[in-house]
Amino acid sequence: MLIDVTDAGDPRLVDYVGLRDAQLRRPEVSRFIAEGVKIIERAFAAGCTPRSLLLQPRWLPGLRELIDAWPDVPVYLASEALIEHVSGFHVHRGALGSFDRPQETGWDELLGGRRLIVCEDTVDHANLGAIIRVAAGLGWDGVLVSPGSADPLYRRAVKASMGSSLALPWRRMASDSDLQRLRDAGFTLVASTLAPGAVDLAGLEPPAKAALLLGTEGQGLSDAWSAAADRHVTIPMAAGVDSLNVATAAAILAYALRP
Amino acid sequence: MLIDVTDAGDPRLVDYVGLRDAQLRRPEVSRFIAEGVKIIERAFAAGCTPRSLLLQPRWLPGLRELIDAWPDVPVYLASEALIEHVSGFHVHRGALGSFDRPQETGWDELLGGRRLIVCEDTVDHANLGAIIRVAAGLGWDGVLVSPGSADPLYRRAVKASMGSSLALPWRRMASDSDLQRLRDAGFTLVASTLAPGAVDLAGLEPPAKAALLLGTEGQGLSDAWSAAADRHVTIPMAAGVDSLNVATAAAILAYALRP
């Protein structure tokens, strides 16, 4: 259903208003925003239910099949300037989609896997998205995020994940004590740390079921999470370099411990 | 030399004007900008020559030793608002430094190493900085960038590298034919590619001297660079995921082929 829009105050665009604000960083919001044609396509491919699209008309031909398959979904057509005005940021190549927020994956499914990444307070959306993209790309079974972590379905996290946060199983932990669920299900908790005493990653025999615990950039894992881990592993650093970016470290660890 | 500044038009701040503009992306500019106290400290530690600093006064105590060691270097003290107004962007925690641009590393030194990353047209500053950080962190000897790549000393690249682009040897290639210099020096050119026929990274015996060729995100390596390579290696991807971010892939490759 194509609808031309020329008024930035059009109330039908409510899903797209003020996307730079923190409102959609709250996971309780019932929708998420896909930014760019590729991410919109991946949201459809992941089975997400569209609420509406907001596009420059130039994107219509490429999205024609999807739009035809969802004839009741409003497709608002607007200028790049209007899209930027409504959303409050420069929308790269002018295509946004609003979708119903999918359910988080249940514990049973996650615990049935053999490789999980567990993020403690990953607050940066780009890092969180990159970690999820790595997990999906390297065949890991899912991601858990601590209560203090960013939202994997926030616009920028979805984009950084290249849509993987829509397809890879993930769940937010209710509390730190959910780490015990992992151990009870047979997972070895492997802490990534630069602390002394950790084993060199190259010397770690990958466990049958591994949950890789990643800390915050800068601080690393909390004492509580580090104490909860079964193994402590480190990526040896060259002299004079103190750390890697958390997503970069995740990539190396997820590769070395790949399923 | 502490100097209070209250006028955003003060001509002494010329190094800091309009940093969002493309001017400093041109490598011929004779300076670079360090953003944030940590990067400023790393620029000093790397032996870079300061031209001036522009700070909120709150950062003075932490930088006192460096400022005392360079008594002739002007340290402009200004409000966060003034710094933002001059620079044209929100300066995270209000500290900038302008330094003389260091010389690029000579060929002899680079070719004397055993592990080099070679970036073909890495145009994203964050990705380029992340790649340099990875190379430094994992003990690689240096980085080469193609003529079309971004500037490793552009503000955002320096920041993303956590200052590694000031410490790790690197050089811009004059042309693609510089790849031949690498081969002549005994390097095996290892192309990272998703093209069919590439060997699984896990099956690649690391060469004695390896030059890892990384393509652009999205397109990958050009046909010319791919044809110039001695080996073609791939990181196996899970079904349904087409690629990793170039910096993430670089991390995995640099780890697997670590010196």
Side-chain angles (χ1 to χ4, degrees):
Chain A
M1 184 168 49
L2 304 184
I3 301 161
D4 286 310
V5 175
T6 54
D7 172 11
D10 191 316
R12 294 172 297 183
L13 301 187
V14 61
D15 281 9
Y16 304 100
V17 172
L19 296 182
R20 281 193 72 175
D21 300 343
Q23 63 173 125
L24 283 175
R25 300 185 193 187
R26 294 201 319 269
E28 65 270 28
V29 173
S30 60
R31 61 185 185 273
F32 74 89
I33 297 293
E35 181 183 352
V37 167
K38 185 176 277 190
I39 306 297
I40 289 171
E41 290 172 339
R42 292 188 177 185
F44 278 105
C48 299
T49 303
R51 296 163 51 90
S52 67
L53 304 179
L54 173 59
L55 306 174
Q56 290 181 262
R58 58 194 285 227
W59 297 116
L60 276 179
L63 290 168
R64 174 60 64 187
E65 274 188 42
L66 290 169
I67 291 170
D68 288 349
W70 294 84
D72 296 336
V73 171
V75 178
Y76 302 110
L77 301 175
S79 67
E80 184 170 13
L82 185 139
I83 296 174
E84 182 165 343
H85 186 75
V86 170
S87 65
F89 74 106
H90 177 69
V91 180
H92 185 56
R93 305 211 274 185
L96 296 171
S98 176
F99 291 82
D100 287 346
R101 189 180 169 90
Q103 292 277 314
E104 297 180 15
T105 304
W107 275 108
D108 285 353
E109 182 179 340
L110 286 164
L111 296 177
R114 294 192 301 119
R115 288 288 182 279
L116 298 174
I117 290 180
V118 192
C119 295
E120 184 184 27
D121 297 357
T122 303
V123 296
D124 181 274
H125 291 100
N127 281 337
L128 182 58
I131 290 169
I132 292 170
R133 185 177 177 188
V134 158
L138 297 180
W140 284 53
D141 298 304
V143 169
L144 290 161
V145 299
S146 68
S149 289
D151 179 14
L153 295 185
Y154 176 64
R155 172 176 60 83
R156 293 207 301 117
V158 173
K159 189 178 179 191
S161 83
M162 288 299 285
S164 291
S165 57
L166 308 172
L168 187 75
W170 68 268
R171 179 178 189 86
R172 185 176 297 277
M173 300 162 69
S175 76
D176 291 355
S177 62
D178 280 341
L179 292 175
Q180 187 59 41
R181 286 181 187 251
L182 294 167
R183 188 179 286 107
D184 291 345
F187 280 86
T188 299
L189 306 192
V190 179
S192 168
T193 174
L194 291 166
V199 301
D200 183 328
L201 176 60
L204 182 73
E205 181 69 24
K209 297 181 74 166
L212 173 61
L213 312 189
L214 299 176
T216 60
E217 184 149 19
Q219 305 296 316
L221 283 172
S222 68
D223 290 347
W225 278 47
S226 192
D230 303 299
R231 306 294 305 271
H232 297 80
V233 70
T234 198
I235 302 168
M237 289 286 118
V241 183
D242 53 359
S243 70
L244 294 173
N245 166 278
V246 63
T248 304
I252 293 170
L253 291 155
Y255 176 75
L257 303 175
R258 63 191 177 279
Chain B
M1 183 168 48
L2 305 183
I3 301 162
D4 286 310
V5 176
T6 53
D7 172 11
D10 192 318
R12 295 172 297 183
L13 301 186
V14 63
D15 281 10
Y16 304 101
V17 171
L19 296 182
R20 281 193 71 175
D21 300 343
Q23 62 172 126
L24 284 175
R25 300 186 193 186
R26 295 202 318 271
E28 64 271 28
V29 173
S30 61
R31 60 186 185 271
F32 74 89
I33 296 292
E35 181 182 351
V37 167
K38 185 176 278 190
I39 306 297
I40 290 172
E41 289 173 337
R42 293 189 176 183
F44 277 106
C48 299
T49 303
R51 296 162 51 90
S52 67
L53 303 179
L54 173 58
L55 306 174
Q56 290 181 263
R58 59 192 286 227
W59 297 116
L60 276 179
L63 290 168
R64 174 59 64 188
E65 274 188 43
L66 290 169
I67 291 170
D68 288 349
W70 292 85
D72 295 336
V73 171
V75 178
Y76 302 110
L77 300 175
S79 67
E80 184 171 12
L82 185 139
I83 296 174
E84 183 165 343
H85 186 75
V86 170
S87 66
F89 74 105
H90 177 68
V91 181
H92 185 56
R93 305 212 273 187
L96 295 171
S98 177
F99 292 81
D100 286 347
R101 189 180 169 89
Q103 293 277 314
E104 297 180 15
T105 305
W107 275 108
D108 285 354
E109 181 179 341
L110 286 164
L111 296 177
R114 295 192 301 119
R115 288 289 182 277
L116 298 174
I117 291 180
V118 192
C119 295
E120 185 184 26
D121 297 357
T122 303
V123 296
D124 182 275
H125 291 100
N127 281 338
L128 182 58
I131 290 168
I132 293 171
R133 185 177 178 188
V134 158
L138 297 179
W140 284 53
D141 298 304
V143 170
L144 290 162
V145 298
S146 69
S149 289
D151 179 13
L153 295 185
Y154 176 64
R155 172 176 59 83
R156 293 208 300 118
V158 172
K159 189 178 180 190
S161 83
M162 289 300 284
S164 290
S165 58
L166 307 173
L168 187 75
W170 69 267
R171 179 178 190 85
R172 184 176 298 276
M173 299 162 68
S175 75
D176 290 356
S177 62
D178 281 341
L179 291 176
Q180 187 59 42
R181 286 182 187 250
L182 294 167
R183 188 179 287 108
D184 291 345
F187 280 86
T188 300
L189 306 192
V190 180
S192 168
T193 175
L194 292 166
V199 301
D200 183 328
L201 177 59
L204 182 73
E205 181 69 24
K209 298 181 73 166
L212 173 62
L213 311 189
L214 300 176
T216 60
E217 183 150 21
Q219 305 296 316
L221 283 172
S222 67
D223 291 345
W225 279 47
S226 192
D230 303 298
R231 307 295 305 270
H232 297 79
V233 69
T234 199
I235 302 167
M237 290 285 118
V241 182
D242 53 358
S243 70
L244 294 173
N245 166 278
V246 63
T248 305
I252 293 170
L253 291 156
Y255 176 75
L257 302 175
R258 64 191 177 279

